[in-house]
Amino acid sequence: MLGSAFVALALGLTTACGTSGPGAGDDGPGVEVWVVEDATVNEVVQTAVDTYSENAGIEGEVVTYVNDAYKQRIQVALGSPEAPDVFFNWGGGNLAEYVKADQVVDLTEALEANPEFKEAFLPSVLDVAKIDGSYYGVPMQGVLPVVLFYNKKVFEDAGVEPPATYDDLLDLVDTFKKEGVTPIVLPGAQAWTELMWLEYLVDRVGGADVFQAIAAGEEGAWSDPAVIKALEMCQDLVERGAFGDNFSSLTSDNGSASTVLASGKGAMYLMGTWELSNQIENNPDFVANGDLGFAAFPALEDGEGDPAAIVGNPSNYFSVNSDSPNTQEAINFLVESMASDAYVEDLIEIGHVPAVAGIEDKLAETEHAEFTTFTYQLVSDAPTFTQSWDQAIPPSAAETMLTNLQLVFLGDMTPEEFAEAMEATQ
């Protein structure tokens, strides 16, 4: 972590006047930041922007978009006068597309000029924003593995424990169906939530190398037996009634899925660690009462994958628009704010585990210490941390994947047809 006095202002870049985005002023430099809607994280970002702007004597603005709308909005905006100065992204293949289009500032020089800032981040997380040897983003929130949340009271009422193995999970599906509780909450109206199941099952069945071959564009990778088996397991869960009858109409963005878990109508919910923020925002009593449980994704006893491996988003990232007239201010904002004591402590306060080293003691002192130390240990012990597939592969292929995955979950496409369709995108 870095103190607030740590400011990088000598990066050799030109500061221009005027602001590029619709929300910033027109009479001087400013920083407009676009970010995906997340009420608690957005407050932390807003505080950082306000603090930086006040100290720098410039205008600052945070503009938020819901998840699915943002992906299209930022693609259209970059390269236009409506683009922000700083924008949220998922790193990896998602960021690589912007780099390929020359829409992102190379931050390598800024990081090398400020070694304390660079070294503050966990290397494995920072490197997700490293494209062809250069850095194009910095982590803007905590590490975000996908974990299995559950309702402790529902489990206690049924006299069961969270699953350690996949067979345990299947037994719990039968148990909760008998109890009249939806075993697993799945907001299937958004395919990226279904993707979490495929990602973990492929990892458990065949190991992390299976997706690495896909991400590398290797011929035949989508037809790997582990992919086919994992898709069959997804369809088996649907057929068992694991997700209930109406999962395809349930959504995550409006908090509906979170509330199903908190209300006790659902027992388990596979979701990124940002779910704690969602529950704090939408169902504060559920969290305050200590009823939100969490566990690692269960092991597959006959699988080749390491049961300690995890999937998710190593973090999300802030990058600088290469067409911004405020490049200098945008970079200075990132360097001064993203690893500052205040920003890191604000993230910890909302239950995040920032992607910085040496924060174990701070995590242990927080209101949500049990969750944050669990997450920190989960990431620390993981032999691999596979990035969410829809962020790791090109957007066009990701769109095809998500569309077809919904068809698989609905039983309208076979695993083999899915693999064939995805092979055509390689």
Side-chain angles (χ1 to χ4, degrees):
M1 288 183 292
L2 305 174
S4 59
F6 181 67
V7 184
L9 297 174
L11 303 176
L13 298 171
T14 302
T15 300
C17 294
T19 53
S20 63
D26 297 328
D27 300 326
V31 174
E32 179 169 313
V33 179
W34 281 17
V35 65
V36 166
E37 180 64 47
D38 183 323
T40 52
V41 172
N42 294 161
E43 286 187 15
V44 173
V45 173
Q46 184 70 63
T47 298
V49 170
D50 290 345
T51 300
Y52 177 79
S53 301
E54 182 177 350
N55 292 339
I58 62 172
E59 292 190 42
E61 184 174 3
V62 176
V63 180
T64 66
Y65 294 89
V66 296
N67 185 74
D68 290 344
Y70 178 78
K71 294 174 182 176
Q72 292 187 341
R73 184 72 182 94
I74 191 64
Q75 276 189 306
V76 173
L78 287 177
S80 80
E82 298 299 314
D85 304 301
V86 174
F87 66 98
F88 171 104
N89 63 81
W90 289 265
N94 171 259
L95 179 56
E97 290 294 310
Y98 302 131
V99 173
K100 185 179 179 181
D102 197 25
Q103 295 173 320
V104 193
V105 171
D106 184 346
L107 297 174
T108 306
E109 182 182 348
L111 289 165
E112 296 300 332
N114 299 279
E116 292 178 69
F117 176 65
K118 179 182 178 182
E119 293 166 8
F121 297 107
L122 298 173
S124 62
V125 180
L126 179 62
D127 283 354
V128 175
K130 190 177 184 180
I131 311 294
D132 295 333
S134 297
Y135 294 96
Y136 291 91
V138 295
M140 53 73 66
Q141 60 178 318
V143 293
L144 300 166
V146 173
V147 303
L148 188 65
F149 290 93
Y150 63 95
N151 186 315
K152 287 184 179 179
K153 186 175 186 306
V154 170
F155 270 66
E156 290 170 1
D157 290 346
V160 294
E161 298 290 332
T165 68
Y166 193 71
D167 285 343
D168 291 343
L169 179 81
L170 297 181
D171 289 342
L172 288 171
V173 169
D174 295 337
T175 296
F176 287 120
K177 284 178 62 181
K178 291 177 182 175
E179 296 287 329
V181 174
T182 299
I184 300 169
V185 181
L186 178 65
Q190 294 167 293
W192 57 268
T193 67
E194 298 172 333
L195 181 62
M196 292 175 176
W197 283 94
L198 179 61
E199 290 167 346
Y200 257 126
L201 289 172
V202 167
D203 199 288
R204 292 292 188 267
V205 171
D209 288 345
V210 175
F211 178 68
Q212 292 308 313
I214 291 172
E218 294 183 15
E219 185 176 355
W222 281 106
S223 300
D224 189 290
V227 176
I228 302 299
K229 182 175 181 180
L231 288 164
E232 291 172 346
M233 294 168 76
C234 290
Q235 291 189 323
D236 176 64
L237 286 170
V238 174
E239 292 168 2
R240 286 173 179 264
F243 306 123
D245 296 329
N246 301 312
F247 72 89
S248 62
S249 61
L250 186 64
T251 183
S252 170
D253 277 344
N254 62 8
S256 297
S258 299
T259 299
V260 172
L261 180 74
S263 68
K265 295 179 180 177
M268 296 175 279
Y269 184 23
L270 189 67
M271 184 49 59
T273 50
W274 59 86
E275 176 61 12
L276 175 61
S277 298
N278 292 339
Q279 293 290 0
I280 291 172
E281 176 69 16
N282 297 307
N283 306 289
D285 291 344
F286 177 56
V287 178
N289 293 338
D291 288 332
L292 178 62
F294 38 84
F297 192 85
L300 184 65
E301 291 173 304
D302 59 349
E304 296 180 13
D306 191 316
I310 56 177
V311 307
N313 297 335
S315 187
N316 294 128
Y317 298 83
F318 272 150
S319 298
V320 176
N321 168 21
S322 60
D323 286 337
S324 166
N326 303 302
T327 302
Q328 181 72 73
E329 291 293 356
I331 293 176
N332 287 347
F333 163 69
L334 296 183
V335 174
E336 183 174 354
S337 306
M338 291 298 101
S340 69
D341 288 341
Y343 192 80
V344 169
E345 289 169 3
D346 282 351
L347 286 177
I348 291 175
E349 183 66 24
I350 62 170
H352 277 234
V353 178
V356 298
I359 58 172
E360 295 91 334
D361 291 344
K362 286 185 178 295
L363 294 175
E365 295 173 353
T366 63
E367 180 181 0
H368 306 293
E370 184 182 2
F371 180 75
T372 55
T373 54
F374 160 79
T375 301
Y376 192 84
Q377 200 62 47
L378 190 71
V379 175
S380 299
D381 293 344
T384 56
F385 191 161
T386 298
Q387 187 182 24
S388 297
W389 293 9
D390 52 343
Q391 312 307 331
I393 65 176
S396 59
E399 185 175 349
T400 300
M401 174 183 68
L402 293 172
T403 298
N404 289 338
L405 187 59
Q406 284 187 308
L407 296 176
V408 170
F409 271 75
L410 291 172
D412 293 335
M413 176 177 276
T414 68
E416 290 77 12
E417 290 171 339
F418 176 91
E420 183 179 357
M422 293 313 301
E423 284 294 340
T425 69
Q426 294 284 53

